[in-house]
Amino acid sequence: MQIQDLPYPDPGVPDARSGPRFLWWLGRNQLGGQFKALAWGLLHFLAVSALPFCVGLAVQSVVDHSGTRLALTGALMAACGACIALGELMLHRTAVTNWITAAARVQQLLARRTALLGSALTRRVAAGEVVAVSTGDVERIGWFVESVSRFSAAAMTVVVVCVSLVVYQPALGVIVAVGVPVLAVAVLPLLPRATRRADFQREKAGRATELASDTVAGLRVLRGIGGEELFLDRYRRASQEVRRAAVRSARMWSAISAIQVLLPGLLMIAVVWRGAQLARDGRIEVGELVTVYSAVMLLTYPLRHFEEIAMAYSFSRPSARRAARVLSLERAMDSGGSRAAEVPGGDLYDPVTGLLAPEGRFTAVVCGDPDAAGLLAERLGGHASQQGETARAEGGPRNASVVLGGVPLDELPLECARTAVLVQDKDPVLLSGSLRELLDVPASGLVSAEAALSAAQCGDVLDALTQGSLDTEDPMDARVTERGRSLSGGQRQRLALARSLITDPEVLVLDEPTSAVDSHTEARIADGVRSLRAGRTTVVFTSSPLLLDHAHRVVLIHEGEVVAVGAHRELVHSEPRYRAVVTRETEEEAAAEAADRTALGAVTVDDEAVLDGVLEEIEETA
């Protein structure tokens, strides 16, 4: 796999049982790139390690006054230099390719898991953690995956050099062969503590990221109530905790780095001291001493990769654990489905609440609890709540699925279920790009962009976008900023509504689609949506009288059950609970109204008694 071939046609099914298993799975899926990096790494490291032998031969050639051997040694050194340059170049290219492709594979897996779980993801995993996994963690995971091959090449080079020194000069080679393994394992006792500190730093960083994202998302509200300084102070404290954790982790890694410098220096001193004694006694040649000394000095280069692999694993393990946690999340319903991939038609029915949305009708749902309304809207789209998924995972009943035309949605393939029922939540997201790109969504083709924008009353939105894009006259080519931040809340809602109307699904579920729109515009939106969706099933969760008055059927849900069904004006007069939600009537106001009616009724009875008495007196007088 090359960088230009990304994304993967199929990133595979990850082993998300644990962080190490996930790292091992990633490595196994990049064996081709790993072997390429290993081959180029061996060429590079072995060429570097051959230089001391060339230097030793050159020194000995000068001592022996042999010009021929000196020339051959020079040619050999030139060949080693070429191999070093070629190996370094190709090793770097291959390592970067392995890094990027591993990170891209993880990002692709996370994106697919996010699309599969939908809104259930953020209820199980904090938004800040999802952001941390998708950004910094994927880079650390890619770093470890690519460093494995370079570490393997360095380890094999160390073994080859030690064996060669033992064969070349046993008296000094044995010292090197015994000392190098000690250097390699000397830092192992410090790694558990360094890993714990790295884990703690990652946790603090994830918490700070989560706090920052929450603060930025609610910055407008915070400024309105004057609370931005309070939340910024919280973020300052969280960032300082991250800094202190990073400093403690860096101290441990600096100690490991110091050991990696100190111990090779001590080994070099031992080799030089012993070699000088042997050279003084005439037991070894000067060239042999120079060779062994140079080899020990250059061994510090491949030994550095032992430190790097330890650091990469320590930093990537918590990242891999968090990525595996997200990737291990499953929907209780089978995303593949047990039925054919056909979009059903008919009435939409929820057996849990008893909600029925007849086919081709505009049904409005009134629910006093906004959170319960949001969960029910997700259920209607086949997005099971966390409680429902947990119950099913534990063997709970499966007849609680929403039914469309007699077909349970959780028996359909997930893609088919989402095609049949589209849910627009309270806070829809607008992606950056042109308006044409924003409205370029999978659709039936029966609803044009102009008709959807008109039904959603987006005329002023188009004018605002055109004025903000001075280089274009066509509103469809106007740019929409990230999450539509340049637009007001009502303008964002209407654009999102137009996008949903274009898709023209069999069933469209809207959760408070006009909560940020003025009443005049809201009335026109209600009329436009009803006209455009004629013959299609539409369910709107709302408490707005303007929307409710345009609905064919209004359903009141109280404490998780349907308690009343009828027209808006009928329910206002006949159902106190409905009237309390729609008119925002408090319990005190309802009690006062009831008392007034009772008093009015009592006064009427007394007046009738007085009138009867007067009539009797008139009759007696007559």
Side-chain angles (χ1 to χ4, degrees):
M1 172 64 69
Q2 298 298 319
I3 296 178
Q4 61 266 23
D5 298 328
L6 296 174
Y8 290 93
D10 180 13
V13 180
D15 187 351
R17 289 176 290 178
S18 65
R21 288 179 181 271
F22 179 61
L23 292 174
W24 172 246
W25 178 84
L26 282 175
R28 286 191 292 109
N29 279 269
Q30 291 189 200
L31 288 179
Q34 296 285 5
F35 282 125
K36 287 181 181 178
L38 176 62
W40 291 117
L42 283 174
L43 175 64
H44 173 67
F45 288 127
L46 290 177
V48 170
S49 301
L51 286 178
F53 295 94
C54 296
V55 172
L57 291 176
V59 171
Q60 193 61 40
S61 300
V62 172
V63 172
D64 296 339
H65 303 286
S66 176
T68 303
R69 282 192 298 165
L70 183 61
L72 293 176
T73 303
L76 184 59
M77 292 181 68
C80 288
C83 291
I84 291 173
L86 178 62
E88 173 68 15
L89 173 65
M90 298 306 299
L91 175 61
H92 180 72
R93 292 188 59 181
T94 310
V96 171
T97 300
N98 290 340
W99 189 332
I100 294 177
T101 52
R105 185 189 296 272
V106 178
Q107 286 182 323
Q108 197 170 342
L109 289 170
L110 290 171
R112 292 195 175 191
R113 185 61 51 179
T114 302
L116 175 66
L117 293 173
S119 59
L121 174 62
T122 53
R123 289 199 300 271
R124 296 185 181 187
V125 182
E129 184 170 352
V130 176
V131 173
V133 171
S134 303
T135 53
D137 285 341
V138 296
E139 294 185 2
R140 297 185 186 94
I141 293 172
W143 175 30
F144 173 75
V145 172
E146 71 85 13
S147 64
V148 169
S149 55
R150 290 189 290 111
F151 163 73
S152 301
M156 295 175 65
T157 300
V158 169
V159 173
V160 170
V161 170
C162 290
V163 172
S164 301
L165 289 177
V166 171
V167 174
Y168 177 73
Q169 178 47 252
L172 295 178
V174 172
I175 299 177
V176 177
V178 173
V180 167
V182 175
L183 300 181
V185 301
V187 297
L188 291 181
L190 300 178
L191 288 181
R193 182 178 298 180
T195 302
R196 288 194 298 269
R197 293 189 179 185
D199 292 350
F200 184 72
Q201 179 189 352
R202 298 277 76 75
E203 292 175 3
K204 290 295 183 181
R207 171 57 184 161
T209 303
E210 179 183 352
L211 186 60
S213 62
D214 291 342
T215 303
V216 171
L219 192 57
R220 180 177 297 180
V221 177
L222 293 175
R223 285 176 176 173
I225 63 176
E228 66 270 22
E229 286 299 328
L230 174 62
F231 277 81
L232 288 175
D233 185 60
R234 291 181 181 176
Y235 180 73
R236 290 190 191 99
R237 292 197 299 268
S239 63
Q240 288 302 313
E241 291 178 0
V242 176
R243 182 189 63 81
R244 286 191 291 269
V247 169
R248 293 183 70 247
S249 179
R251 287 174 180 171
M252 183 58 63
W253 286 112
S254 63
I256 293 176
S257 299
I259 292 175
Q260 290 288 328
V261 174
L262 174 63
L263 294 184
L266 295 177
L267 177 61
M268 192 177 301
I269 292 174
V271 169
V272 171
W273 178 73
R274 179 58 178 165
Q277 288 182 337
L278 295 176
R280 184 186 57 189
D281 296 339
R283 297 171 59 183
I284 63 172
E285 301 290 341
V286 175
E288 294 177 337
L289 175 60
V290 173
T291 298
V292 176
Y293 169 78
S294 302
V296 174
M297 182 178 64
L298 290 180
L299 272 180
T300 58
Y301 174 52
L303 282 175
R304 280 288 180 181
H305 290 77
F306 286 71
E307 176 191 351
E308 181 187 3
I309 193 65
M311 183 180 295
Y313 179 72
S314 298
F315 278 91
S316 66
R317 192 182 69 170
S319 298
R321 184 173 64 248
R322 291 198 292 191
R325 180 190 173 195
V326 175
L327 295 175
S328 64
L329 297 177
E330 295 286 350
R331 294 180 61 88
M333 57 179 287
D334 182 10
S335 59
S338 57
R339 291 178 179 261
E342 297 180 358
V343 178
D347 298 343
L348 183 70
Y349 176 68
D350 177 27
V352 175
T353 60
L355 173 62
L356 175 66
E359 182 182 12
R361 307 287 284 177
F362 187 161
T363 302
V365 180
V366 176
C367 185
D369 184 358
D371 294 333
L375 293 176
L376 178 55
E378 293 179 359
R379 275 182 48 77
L380 294 180
H383 305 266
S385 63
Q386 182 176 0
Q387 293 84 356
E389 291 186 349
T390 302
R392 294 186 191 184
E394 294 175 353
R398 295 194 61 82
N399 59 357
S401 171
V402 173
V403 178
L404 177 61
V407 178
L409 288 182
D410 64 357
E411 294 183 5
L412 291 172
L414 185 60
E415 182 179 357
C416 185
R418 291 186 175 176
T419 301
V421 183
L422 174 66
V423 179
Q424 176 181 305
D425 60 13
K426 291 185 181 70
D427 187 20
V429 176
L430 300 181
L431 302 179
S432 60
S434 67
L435 182 58
R436 193 184 310 278
E437 294 171 342
L438 176 68
L439 300 180
D440 184 15
V441 294
S444 65
L446 301 178
V447 178
S448 64
E450 291 76 13
L453 291 169
S454 176
Q457 301 299 310
C458 293
D460 64 318
V461 183
L462 299 181
D463 294 338
L465 290 175
T466 304
Q467 293 175 2
S469 302
L470 301 178
D471 57 343
T472 179
E473 297 181 356
D474 188 354
M476 298 300 293
D477 294 328
R479 301 292 298 179
V480 179
T481 57
E482 181 184 0
R483 300 180 68 90
R485 298 188 186 279
S486 62
L487 303 174
S488 66
Q491 290 173 330
R492 289 196 297 268
Q493 272 192 338
R494 283 177 280 164
L495 276 184
L497 177 60
R499 181 179 58 187
S500 300
L501 293 174
I502 287 178
T503 60
D504 190 34
E506 185 69 25
V507 179
L508 177 60
V509 179
L510 303 173
D511 188 5
E512 295 288 354
T514 58
S515 60
V517 178
D518 62 87
S519 58
H520 180 65
T521 306
E522 189 176 30
R524 291 187 295 171
I525 290 176
D527 184 65
V529 171
R530 174 168 171 167
S531 301
L532 189 64
R533 291 286 299 172
R536 292 286 199 179
T537 306
T538 306
V539 180
V540 179
F541 286 82
T542 183
S543 58
S544 170
L546 295 173
L547 282 176
L548 295 171
D549 197 39
H550 283 77
H552 297 115
R553 171 188 173 96
V554 179
V555 179
L556 173 64
I557 295 181
H558 181 69
E559 295 182 353
E561 294 182 356
V562 174
V563 295
V565 179
H568 166 62
R569 302 191 181 187
E570 296 174 358
L571 293 176
V572 166
H573 293 90
S574 62
E575 179 55 59
R577 291 171 294 186
Y578 179 82
R579 183 170 57 253
V581 176
V582 173
T583 64
R584 310 297 195 272
E585 187 179 61
T586 64
E587 295 181 0
E588 292 78 5
E589 292 172 341
E593 183 180 353
D596 292 341
R597 291 184 179 180
T598 303
L600 180 61
V603 170
T604 303
V605 172
D606 293 341
D607 289 345
E608 291 179 353
V610 172
L611 181 59
D612 292 340
V614 172
L615 291 175
E616 290 178 359
E617 291 179 359
I618 292 175
E619 290 177 355
E620 291 176 357
T621 303

